[in-house]
Amino acid sequence: MSTDPPPAQPPAPVPHRPHVPLSPIPGSKGYANLQLQVMKETLAAMPDPTTGRREMHPRMKELIERWSHAIAYGEAQIARHGPRVNFELLRKTLQFQFNRTFIYWRMFRFMDLPPEIISNIFHLVVWSANHPSEGVKQRLHLTWVCKAWRRLMTEDPMIWNAIWFHDTPPYERSWEWFKRAGSARLDIRINEAGSKRNGVRDFPQFTAEQMSDMLDKLFTKLSQIRMLVIIVDNWPPALTVLQKLQTAGNAGTPINIERLEIHRSGMPYVWIGPGFDTQGHRDPAVLFGGQTRHLQYLCLSGIHIDFNDTPLSNLTTLDLRHITIDSSPTLMRFREILQDCPNLDKLTLDGCGPQPEEKWFDHAPVELPKLKTFTLGSFNLSFACFIVSQVHAPRVRDLTLMTMTGNDYMPLIAMLTRQFMQVRILTLYNIQLEMNAGGKRTFVRWLDTMPEIGYARLARIKPEVLNMFAESPVNYRIPLEGRSAGTLTRHVLCPKFQCMEVQAIPAATIAEFCRLRKGVGVPMKKMYLNTPWAESLTHEHLKLLQQEATIYIAPVGANTEEENMLLAEEWDT
C-alpha cells in the first residue's frame, strides 16, 4: 500500500469572521507546538523505514513541486494576514512543509558522507542549542537514531566535552560524558537541583564535603577545563570551590580556565546560622593561586575572592554581583583592574562596586574604549553616580539600569546624558524615576542623546516613564548645545526603536505605549514576551498586544536576532 501523502491543492482562503479564534503566528510558542504536533502525527502514521536504495520516483518529484507551490501560497497568506489567517490554511501549510522535509530526510544518503563531515554536522546540532538543557537533549536524541550514529557519536570526544551536572545524584550520565570526552577541552556546569535558578526538583543541597568529592574527581582533568560554572545556594560549597582552585594552583597544577562563574544564589551578602567558617569568608582565596593568565571571563555572584592578591588582567568580561562593600575591591584596586583590561567588552556591577573613598570625584575616569555592554544595578543613588564617574566608555552599545528604587534616580539619568551616545539596546528594569516637570526634561534630553536605540528591554516601568518615548524632543532641547544638524531637526525620540522585549508590565500599558509610538510615526514592529511571564497572560491580553505588534517569545538564555544584529554593527567614528 502506498504511503505517499495525498496530492497538495492550495486551499481556498476563507473570509475572515471576527469571532474566529486567532491563529498562532511564526515565532510564537503556539506555532512551534503546532509544528511539533504535525510532525508527531505524520511520523506516527508512517511505516518504519526499510533498507535498500532510496532513489526518488518521478511521481515524487512532481509531488514535491506541487507541495512547494502550496507552501509558497500558504506562507504568503500567513505573512499577509498574521494571526487572522485561516487556521486550516495554516495547518495544511505546515503539513506540506513537513511532508517535503520528511521526503528529503528519507532520500538523502547521509551515511555515504565522509565520517569527518558527519562529525561536523553533529557538532553543529549539539552546539547550536540556546540553553544547556537543550544541548543535553540534542546529544541524547542523536544517539537514539541508529547504531551507526551512536557509534560515531560515542567515539567523538568533542560531542561530550560540554557537561552539565544537573542529573540525579550520583550523576551517572554526567560522569559517563566526562569519560567519553577523553582529552578534549572541557566546559563544566554544576547546578544545584534545588537552587533558585531552576527550582524544578527538590533535591538536597550540596554540602562542602560533597562538593569537595566532586571536584576531586573533576580535577583529575583540571588542566583540560576551559569553562567552569558553579551555581549553588549556600556558602560552604561555594567557598569549597574557591579553596580547591587555590590549593591546586598553589600546588603547581596547570590551570587553563578561560571562563569562571560562581553563583551563590541564596541569602545575599551575609552568612547566617550555624557552621560559620572564617576560612574562605574572612580570609578569601586567591583565585587559582594566582594562575589567572588564561582567564578572560570572570563572574562572581554572592561570593568574593582576595581581589588585592589575585592578578586580573586582559579580561573581556567582569561581572560582580551581590558582594558586601567590605569584601569588594578597593577603589584603587578596582581602577587597576579596569586599566589592566583594555579589551574589556562587558562590565556588570549589580550590588557590588568599589569601596568608596571620602573624595569620590577627584579621579579621572578609566578609559574603556572597547566596552560594549554596561550593566548597573542594585545601588543607592549616590553610589550609582559614584560608579558612573569612574569609567569613560563612549562606545557602549548595550546599557542596562536595573533594580534601583527608594529614591528618585533622575540625577543619575542627568549624569548619564551624553555619556553613552552609541547605545543600540537599552534595558530599564524596576528603576524609580519621578516624572515631574524637571524629571520629564531630564529624561527626554537623555533619550535624545541616544538616537541609535533600536531595541529596548522593559520591565516594571511605570506608564508615565514609558509615555516619555512619545514626547517631542524639540520642546525640551537647550539651544546651542553643540548638537549636529541631524539632532536639531529630529522631531522624534529614538526613531529606530521599533522592537522591544517586555515583562511584568500590564498588557493595557504596553498596548497604550505602542499606540503612542505609532502616533509619532514610529510603530512597534516586533514585541518579544519574556518567559515565563508570557505564560501568565490571558488570551485577551495576547489578543490586545497582537493588535499593536507581531508577538514572539524571547529565547531563553540567548539574544534575539535583533540584539545580535545591533551589537554587531560597526563602531561609529
Side-chain angles (χ1 to χ4, degrees):
M1 185 177 69
S2 173
T3 59
D4 293 344
Q9 295 292 335
V14 179
H16 169 68
R17 294 186 292 274
H19 64 278
V20 175
L22 297 175
S23 298
I25 57 176
S28 68
K29 185 175 182 180
Y31 188 87
N33 289 339
L34 184 58
Q35 286 179 308
L36 183 62
Q37 179 183 344
V38 168
M39 181 185 73
K40 287 183 175 180
E41 291 177 355
T42 305
L43 292 177
M46 289 285 179
D48 291 336
T50 58
T51 58
R53 302 180 67 180
R54 290 184 173 85
E55 294 182 356
M56 185 176 290
H57 192 275
R59 182 175 176 273
M60 186 58 70
K61 294 181 180 179
E62 177 185 348
L63 188 58
I64 290 178
E65 185 176 347
R66 293 166 65 184
W67 283 341
S68 298
H69 287 304
I71 291 169
Y73 173 81
E75 290 177 343
Q77 293 297 310
I78 294 169
R80 179 179 178 184
H81 298 288
R84 300 188 183 281
V85 72
N86 179 267
F87 182 77
E88 287 304 316
L89 170 67
L90 172 64
R91 184 181 177 85
K92 288 185 177 181
T93 301
L94 293 180
Q95 181 68 66
F96 295 149
Q97 287 175 338
F98 182 74
N99 288 349
R100 184 176 63 180
T101 301
F102 180 73
I103 293 300
Y104 290 151
W105 291 349
R106 294 289 298 270
M107 301 304 300
F108 186 73
R109 296 193 299 272
F110 186 82
M111 294 308 297
D112 289 347
L113 293 171
E116 61 272 18
I117 299 299
I118 296 178
S119 292
N120 285 337
I121 294 172
F122 287 162
H123 292 170
L124 289 173
V125 172
V126 300
W127 289 103
S128 63
N130 290 329
H131 192 268
S133 61
E134 196 63 31
V136 171
K137 294 177 183 177
Q138 298 281 33
R139 287 165 173 81
L140 294 176
H141 290 167
L142 287 173
T143 61
W144 296 342
V145 173
C146 62
K147 290 181 179 179
W149 282 30
R150 180 174 180 81
R151 178 179 57 79
L152 288 171
M153 288 280 292
T154 55
E155 293 177 355
D156 186 350
M158 295 302 295
I159 294 289
W160 309 102
N161 65 336
I163 308 169
W164 188 19
F165 286 83
H166 192 53
D167 45 324
T168 307
Y171 309 105
E172 293 181 2
R173 185 203 69 203
S174 296
W175 288 121
E176 177 61 26
W177 290 23
F178 185 74
K179 178 182 177 182
R180 291 178 185 176
S183 59
R185 297 295 302 276
L186 299 173
D187 294 344
I188 305 294
R189 180 184 178 98
I190 300 175
N191 259 75
E192 219 168 42
S195 72
K196 294 182 180 180
R197 288 176 169 258
N198 33 73
V200 177
R201 297 170 290 177
D202 188 18
F203 289 153
Q205 296 174 337
F206 276 109
T207 65
E209 292 75 18
Q210 290 169 339
M211 179 61 74
S212 179
D213 291 343
M214 175 175 280
L215 293 179
D216 285 341
K217 195 170 182 179
L218 275 177
F219 284 5
T220 59
K221 297 184 180 182
L222 178 57
S223 62
Q224 296 172 222
I225 297 178
R226 174 176 52 198
M227 181 180 80
L228 181 61
V229 178
I230 309 285
I231 303 175
V232 294
D233 275 358
N234 297 323
W235 280 100
L239 291 175
T240 298
V241 175
L242 291 174
Q243 291 164 359
K244 299 284 281 189
L245 287 169
Q246 177 180 252
T247 299
N250 289 339
T253 304
I255 298 179
N256 301 310
I257 295 175
E258 298 175 7
R259 175 169 177 166
L260 176 69
E261 296 186 42
I262 303 179
H263 301 265
R264 185 186 60 81
S265 56
M267 182 70 70
Y269 304 121
V270 296
W271 186 337
I272 298 176
F276 176 81
D277 182 8
T278 58
Q279 184 180 4
H281 190 270
R282 290 181 180 170
D283 302 315
V286 175
L287 189 60
F288 303 166
Q291 290 193 49
T292 57
R293 59 188 177 278
H294 296 290
L295 188 65
Q296 299 176 16
Y297 188 116
L298 176 63
C299 174
L300 299 173
S301 178
I303 192 78
H304 59 282
I305 60 174
D306 186 337
F307 287 101
N308 287 330
D309 291 337
T310 297
L312 294 174
S313 61
N314 297 319
L315 296 176
T316 58
T317 295
L318 178 60
D319 187 334
L320 303 176
R321 314 178 197 178
H322 309 302
I323 300 176
T324 57
I325 194 67
D326 59 330
S327 300
S328 301
T330 63
L331 177 59
M332 180 180 296
R333 179 60 184 141
F334 177 73
R335 290 171 58 86
E336 286 177 354
I337 293 173
L338 296 184
Q339 290 166 350
D340 290 340
C341 300
N343 295 318
L344 195 67
D345 177 81
K346 179 179 179 181
L347 176 61
T348 296
L349 301 172
D350 180 13
C352 174
Q355 299 179 22
E357 296 181 353
E358 292 184 5
K359 295 182 179 181
W360 286 2
F361 299 97
D362 287 352
H363 306 278
V366 177
E367 296 290 336
L368 298 175
K370 296 186 179 181
L371 191 68
K372 187 179 291 185
T373 302
F374 184 34
T375 299
L376 196 66
S378 305
F379 296 121
N380 62 36
L381 174 60
S382 61
F383 197 75
C385 293
F386 161 63
I387 291 178
V388 171
S389 72
Q390 299 300 315
V391 299
H392 181 240
R395 291 182 168 182
V396 165
R397 296 296 183 86
D398 186 347
L399 176 64
T400 295
L401 304 176
M402 63 181 187
T403 320
M404 290 189 276
T405 60
N407 207 333
D408 179 11
Y409 280 78
M410 204 59 75
L412 173 63
I413 298 299
M415 192 172 183
L416 292 173
T417 302
R418 304 186 69 80
Q419 286 274 70
F420 307 115
M421 299 176 66
Q422 294 193 31
V423 168
R424 266 66 169 170
I425 303 171
L426 176 65
T427 301
L428 298 176
Y429 180 91
N430 194 26
I431 177 170
Q432 183 174 336
L433 299 170
E434 301 299 332
M435 287 302 163
N436 50 38
K440 290 180 179 180
R441 182 170 57 252
T442 299
F443 193 75
V444 170
R445 288 177 179 172
W446 178 52
L447 293 180
D448 197 22
T449 64
M450 300 182 291
E452 298 298 321
I453 290 177
Y455 190 99
R457 311 181 193 102
L458 304 170
R460 301 188 184 278
I461 297 298
K462 294 180 179 179
E464 53 266 30
V465 177
L466 295 176
N467 294 346
M468 299 310 297
F469 282 85
E471 289 287 316
S472 172
V474 177
N475 300 329
Y476 296 89
R477 288 177 183 148
I478 300 175
L480 302 176
E481 284 188 312
R483 297 173 180 268
S484 66
T487 302
L488 293 172
T489 58
R490 191 174 61 246
H491 294 270
V492 178
L493 287 171
C494 310
K496 299 181 181 180
F497 172 32
Q498 294 186 293
C499 184
M500 66 178 179
E501 179 182 331
V502 293
Q503 64 170 315
I505 299 176
T509 300
I510 299 171
E512 176 62 20
F513 170 66
C514 292
R515 286 191 287 268
L516 289 173
R517 288 290 292 178
K518 185 176 182 180
V520 298
V522 190
M524 197 61 57
K525 293 181 178 180
K526 296 178 72 173
M527 185 188 308
Y528 288 94
L529 305 183
N530 190 281
T531 307
W533 177 73
E535 298 174 358
S536 68
L537 296 177
T538 65
H539 177 74
E540 289 72 21
H541 291 153
L542 291 173
K543 185 177 179 180
L544 178 63
L545 296 177
Q546 286 172 340
Q547 293 174 353
E548 304 301 331
T550 304
I551 305 298
Y552 293 86
I553 300 299
V556 178
N559 286 340
T560 63
E561 177 185 356
E562 289 76 14
E563 289 174 288
N564 288 330
M565 290 177 59
L566 290 169
L567 289 173
E569 288 182 1
E570 295 293 331
W571 298 111
D572 291 348
T573 56

